[in-house]
Amino acid sequence: MKRYLILILLSFQGLLAQVQFEAKVSKTTLGLNERLRVDFVMNIDGDNFNEPSFDGFRVIAGPSQQVSQSWVNGRSSFEKIYSYYLLPNQKGTLLIKQATIEFNGQIYKTASIKINVTAAVESPKDPNDTSISADDNIYLVADISKTNPYINEPISVVYKLYFSYNIGITNWRELNKPKYNDFWSQNVDIKELVAEEGMFKGEKYRYVVLRKTVLYPQKSGKLVIEPLSLDIDVELPTNRRNVIGQMILKLDSKRVSAGAKTIAVRALPEAGKPADFSGAVGNFDFKVTPTKTSLKNGESLDLVVSVSGKGNMKLFNLPKPVVPNALEMYDAVHSEQVNTSLAGMAGKVSDSYTIIPQYKGNYPIKSMQFSYFDLGSRTYKTINSPEIMINVLDGPTDTRAVSGSDSDHDKNKISSTEQFKFIKLKTNLVSVAQNDFFGSNLYLGLLFLPFLMLPLIILVKNKKEAIDGDVVGNRIKRNNRLAKKYLSEAKKQISNKEPFYVALEKAMHNFLKAKLHIETSEMSKDNIKELLVNRNAKPETVNDFIALTENCEVARYAPSSTATIQQDFDKAVLIISELEKQI
């Protein structure tokens, strides 16, 4: 009887045992390059285990299952574990969601776990580990040319992946791109990834240059460059060999990071800073060049303000010229011819102002100045352009102030040649005894003029009817006039190669805007071709139009003759006329 009572008590104890099902992690905070172990532990033999989706992680191993059961002091214990090894795919707070099991018809769930993923960290090497692993055979390094630059002084960052001769790399993926907050940045193209040999940590390694970037700091202080992180698939040698004696390789993955870098940026000195300083840092040459200094009424000139050299070419403003009121100046057309290498930006930037004189006379364009900070001497330098005199040969005379000054006093001055213009110097005397108009030669001429004009009117009318009847001819003339309307500016610059091709390219684009009702941002090659063909333009004419437009940029810097420029102009007139007729 006592034995049965003990068995009944043990049965009740088993029924009263609480079901436990929980998720356990190896750590709740880890670096982007560290692994996380997740165990789902239960004290009963549950069925239908459903793992969570592991959003934000990549499963690199699992699930593995462990089952243990024991009796201690007459009490039994049971444990089943499902284990996973995960790698995070991104930084931030990630959530391991609920897993579920079924036991005795009921569903049990684990609690969700928040995991905080930080930037990649350096993993210490285990001194007891003598096998070849990826940990001590592959490194990602960020080489920085200078860590204490001035504001707007260029520095370069070159990312190199070093790997030993013991391992092989089959693939790599970017997990986190580097971020350059408070820097102006531009990547330098790498045409081909080539493995080279170099020394690293006193040993020979192979390395590949993955990325080259030029940075210009935009404010002073300590600026942080966030790291580049990679997920790399590697081949590691083992101690095993196949049947023909070749070493067997195992596949593994390794996450590496270049680490965050801190740049201490120095502010530009305040001592000696010019009032007109606009942020230019480097070594520059400054020029103000007019296309002509003598011109007739109705003609125009271009005043080109340009800066060339090495420095932060795209990060400062060019000075604006001040011209007399008698010269009408239009908004500038900005142009950049800048190349970027690891040493920084170099080339030329310019603003071209179109100026049209209103009156006859001589007009000065004041001297301009450009200031910059010279990195070589660490001082500010200022370049002054000479004063330019514009001579307008003919046209109306300005009775206002003929001066380059904008003051009210100068505006109210009158030139010495105009002071007595209101006094008549010549007289026209009229006879007191005037002849009668009736019967005069003028009277007879006006009387018979309509009869004399009649044959001419009939001739003009017949000519006009013949012209109006020529539909094809009129269409061709109308198209040519339209083409020449768009190309009038290019025709003015036909003797100047570079302004000609700039004007020609603008004319082609303006023609498309007018006819297709599109903006500059929509002018891709494929979009233009599709729109023109849809409007019944012939493919060969469309191809000629696109080819000529693309050729304008190349022709601006390529050697060419006057005959070639004239051919391009005639070709543009023909193409625009054909497109107008076809669409």
Side-chain angles (χ1 to χ4, degrees), residues 423-477:
I423 300 176
K424 292 186 176 181
L425 302 179
K426 294 182 180 180
T427 60
N428 297 320
L429 300 178
V430 180
S431 176
V432 176
Q434 298 183 357
N435 296 326
D436 292 335
F437 175 70
F438 184 77
S440 65
N441 293 334
L442 179 60
Y443 172 79
L444 295 175
L446 294 176
L447 180 62
F448 293 104
L449 181 62
F451 300 99
L452 297 175
M453 291 291 294
L454 188 59
L456 181 61
I457 293 173
I458 295 174
L459 181 63
V460 171
K461 180 181 178 182
N462 293 337
K463 182 68 175 178
K464 184 177 184 301
E465 290 176 352
I467 293 175
D468 293 341
D470 186 5
V471 178
V472 176
N474 287 335
R475 183 179 299 171
I476 293 173
K477 291 178 182 178

Side-chain angles (χ1 to χ4, degrees), residues 28-34 55-58 87-95 114-121 174-181 224-230 255-261:
T28 56
T29 300
L30 70 156
L32 190 62
N33 59 333
E34 293 184 298
D55 294 335
F57 293 90
R58 181 163 66 93
L87 269 177
N89 290 328
Q90 62 194 55
K91 293 190 299 182
T93 301
L94 304 180
L95 186 67
K114 291 183 178 180
I115 305 297
N116 184 28
V117 182
T118 64
V121 298
E174 284 190 359
L175 295 176
N176 275 17
K177 295 181 181 294
K179 295 181 180 179
Y180 310 110
N181 297 326
V224 177
I225 300 176
E226 296 191 15
L228 170 66
S229 299
L230 303 177
R255 293 196 172 185
V256 293
S257 172
K261 303 295 181 181

Side-chain angles (χ1 to χ4, degrees), residues 190-461:
I190 299 176
K191 296 182 179 179
E192 185 179 1
L193 296 179
V194 179
E196 303 179 38
E197 290 187 352
M199 298 298 295
F200 183 72
K201 293 187 176 183
E203 298 180 6
K204 280 189 175 181
Y205 273 77
R206 292 174 293 172
Y207 72 90
V208 176
V209 176
L210 300 179
R211 183 191 290 263
K212 297 178 181 179
T213 306
V214 177
L215 304 177
Y216 283 84
Q218 297 300 294
K219 73 176 186 178
S220 59
K222 292 185 178 181
L223 306 183
V224 177
I225 300 176
E226 296 191 15
L228 170 66
S229 299
L230 303 177
D231 187 6
I232 303 173
D233 296 332
V234 296
E235 293 179 337
L236 301 176
T238 65
N239 296 327
R240 297 178 296 162
R241 296 184 180 273
N242 57 20
V243 293
I244 60 175
Q246 293 178 333
M247 182 179 294
I248 296 177
L249 303 177
K250 68 174 182 178
L251 299 179
D252 198 359
S253 63
K254 171 67 177 177
R255 293 196 172 185
V256 293
S257 172
K261 303 295 181 181
T262 301
I263 308 297
V265 182
R266 293 179 287 177
L268 297 176
E270 293 296 327
K273 180 184 289 188
D276 64 332
F277 178 70
S278 63
V281 177
N283 188 7
F284 303 103
D285 185 24
F286 175 63
K287 291 182 180 180
V288 179
T289 308
T291 54
K292 61 180 77 173
T293 55
S294 296
L295 64 162
K296 298 179 181 180
N297 181 38
E299 293 183 339
S300 64
L301 65 92
D302 287 337
L303 186 68
V304 181
V305 180
S306 64
V307 171
S308 58
K310 297 176 64 177
N312 58 334
M313 305 295 296
K314 300 180 181 180
L315 303 176
F316 58 81
N317 296 322
L318 295 173
K320 186 176 181 179
V322 177
V323 301
N325 292 334
L327 301 180
E328 185 176 2
M329 183 174 70
Y330 294 87
D331 292 338
V333 176
H334 186 70
S335 175
E336 295 180 354
Q337 303 169 22
V338 180
N339 295 320
T340 304
S341 65
L342 283 181
M345 289 185 279
K348 179 180 178 181
V349 294
S350 62
D351 285 341
S352 180
Y353 297 86
T354 298
I355 297 177
I356 300 177
Q358 303 297 310
Y359 303 99
K360 176 184 177 181
N362 295 326
Y363 302 99
I365 296 178
K366 290 183 177 181
S367 171
M368 301 171 60
Q369 67 178 24
F370 173 74
S371 300
Y372 66 95
F373 181 74
D374 182 26
L375 292 171
S377 62
R378 298 183 181 181
T379 58
Y380 292 97
K381 294 185 178 181
T382 300
I383 303 175
N384 292 288
S385 67
E387 183 179 84
I388 299 172
M389 184 64 69
I390 304 299
N391 182 21
V392 183
L393 302 178
D394 59 5
T397 304
D398 188 9
T399 58
R400 308 174 308 168
V402 184
S403 172
S405 173
D406 290 332
S407 66
D408 293 338
H409 175 70
D410 289 338
K411 287 182 179 179
N412 294 323
K413 285 169 58 180
I414 301 177
S415 63
S416 59
T417 59
E418 300 295 322
Q419 290 180 6
F420 302 102
K421 187 175 181 181
F422 62 93
I423 300 176
K424 292 186 176 181
L425 302 179
K426 294 182 180 180
T427 60
N428 297 320
L429 300 178
V430 180
S431 176
V432 176
Q434 298 183 357
N435 296 326
D436 292 335
F437 175 70
F438 184 77
S440 65
N441 293 334
L442 179 60
Y443 172 79
L444 295 175
L446 294 176
L447 180 62
F448 293 104
L449 181 62
F451 300 99
L452 297 175
M453 291 291 294
L454 188 59
L456 181 61
I457 293 173
I458 295 174
L459 181 63
V460 171
K461 180 181 178 182

